[in-house]
Amino acid sequence: MSIKKNRYLIINLLFISSIYSCSTEKKTIAKGNTIYHYINNQSNRDKGLDYRDSLVTYKLKKAFKSEIEDKTDYIIVKNTPSKLDSLTGIKVVPVNSDKIKLYKGAFYTFEQDSVKDDTSFRYYDVKVALQTLTIPLKFRKQIDDGTKYPSTVETGVNIGFAPVLKWNLNIFNPIKKTMGKTLNSYSINTGLLLNLGATDLSNTGNAPGLETNRKSATFSYGGFVLFGINNINFGYALGWDKVLGSGGSYWIYQNKPWQGIVISLDIIK
């Protein structure tokens, strides 16, 4: 497959991915997590019955989807699995209502010492984010046999913005914090690279036949794959540069592929 066909394929695939409906509020709660369900028996006590409140412990043997709410010290899992075959290791412990917060639903952990669990809680999600990015290194292949124009490495400061699709593994642990945070996200990001920049055209260098040297605007396009920790991401880009204006017909790198190192930062997610 030609380079031209490759670049259009990359752009089309990334565009389709970027419009994929991934903004759902539900997260995938991972297999193996422990969640708790608080049962308030106040209504039975009002009837004169001797019912204490209880805390039910579940161990997940299947993943399931749920909305969650991050309370910093614990996470509320709002939707428990509808089928009991998703749960195992059920344990019921009577508790006093004055020692536990009266929330409905299932939980990962509570602030109370009696229910603390230092096992990490894991869940997955997919979301769209907007990142600001820079490409500090670009690697360009040689032109022809490389005698006159060998492979080059370009360095420089450039800033751009890009929408990305993020696949996240989120690990929550309020007791054993990582990097000082209770919640840490590890992600794979893909996105479209669309960026404006500038380059110097030289009639004795990269633009033979050009009448006068000049600085010309460039348009970069392509795609990238990044690995992220929380909101910092780094990875690889494949792209093409196009000089805008008449100087482009002289530039030796016009619409030729390059490979680059990308560093980015989430600004909206």
Side-chain angles (χ1 to χ4, degrees), residues 14 35 50 52 71 92 146-147 153 157 171 173 184 187-188 237 248:
L14 291 173
I35 59 175
D50 186 18
R52 293 183 63 186
K71 292 290 189 178
V92 181
T147 302
V153 177
V157 177
I171 300 178
N173 195 320
N184 289 279
S187 63
I188 296 177

Side-chain angles (χ1 to χ4, degrees), residues 30-267:
K31 173 183 175 182
N33 279 320
T34 299
I35 59 175
Y36 302 97
H37 185 200
Y38 172 71
I39 300 176
N40 184 352
N41 284 310
Q42 183 62 49
S43 60
N44 288 314
R45 290 194 294 272
D46 291 341
K47 298 175 183 178
L49 300 175
D50 186 18
Y51 278 83
R52 293 183 63 186
D53 295 341
S54 58
L55 188 68
V56 185
T57 302
Y58 296 102
K59 188 78 170 180
L60 300 182
K61 62 181 180 180
K62 289 184 180 180
F64 73 99
K65 291 186 179 294
S66 171
E67 296 180 18
I68 66 170
E69 186 176 352
D70 186 352
K71 292 290 189 178
T72 305
D73 294 315
Y74 59 95
I75 283 180
I76 296 179
V77 181
K78 295 187 174 181
N79 311 105
T80 53
S82 57
K83 295 182 179 180
L84 290 180
D85 62 0
S86 297
L87 307 171
T88 187
I90 298 176
K91 179 182 178 183
V92 181
V93 178
V95 294
N96 294 322
S97 59
D98 60 346
K99 292 185 178 179
I100 199 164
K101 291 188 175 179
L102 303 183
Y103 292 112
K104 294 180 179 180
F107 306 81
Y108 157 62
T109 186
F110 293 90
E111 295 174 296
Q112 285 70 24
D113 293 338
S114 59
V115 239
K116 277 187 175 177
D117 187 342
D118 62 5
T119 301
S120 296
F121 179 79
R122 296 172 293 114
Y123 63 92
Y124 305 91
D125 61 20
V126 183
K127 62 180 65 176
V128 173
L130 180 64
Q131 295 180 351
T132 177
L133 57 84
T134 183
I135 307 171
L137 291 175
K138 279 186 180 180
F139 304 91
R140 297 188 187 276
K141 291 181 62 176
Q142 66 184 39
I143 304 296
D144 298 328
D145 61 0
T147 302
K148 189 173 183 181
Y149 302 110
S151 300
T152 62
V153 177
E154 293 183 7
T155 61
V157 177
N158 51 80
I159 300 294
F161 297 91
V164 300
L165 195 62
K166 296 175 67 73
W167 287 267
N168 299 291
L169 164 61
N170 306 282
I171 300 178
F172 174 83
N173 195 320
I175 301 172
K176 294 182 179 179
K177 298 180 181 180
T178 303
M179 296 181 287
K181 297 171 65 70
T182 58
L183 177 64
N184 289 279
S185 297
Y186 304 89
S187 63
I188 296 177
N189 313 274
T190 61
L192 290 172
L193 178 66
L194 302 169
N195 197 13
L196 291 174
T199 190
D200 292 314
L201 301 184
S202 169
N203 53 21
T204 59
N206 61 13
L210 188 68
E211 291 185 3
T212 58
N213 297 338
R214 68 183 73 166
K215 182 179 286 292
S216 295
T218 59
F219 174 65
S220 299
Y221 58 99
F224 55 84
V225 177
L226 305 176
F227 298 93
I229 301 176
N230 296 327
N231 64 340
I232 301 174
N233 314 276
F234 54 91
Y236 165 84
L238 173 63
W240 293 261
D241 285 341
K242 179 180 179 65
V243 165
L244 304 178
S246 60
S249 59
Y250 300 96
W251 194 42
I252 61 173
Y253 298 117
Q254 183 80 341
N255 291 323
K256 287 186 168 54
W258 51 263
Q259 300 177 73
I261 303 298
V262 182
I263 300 173
S264 73
L265 183 68
D266 293 352
I267 53 177

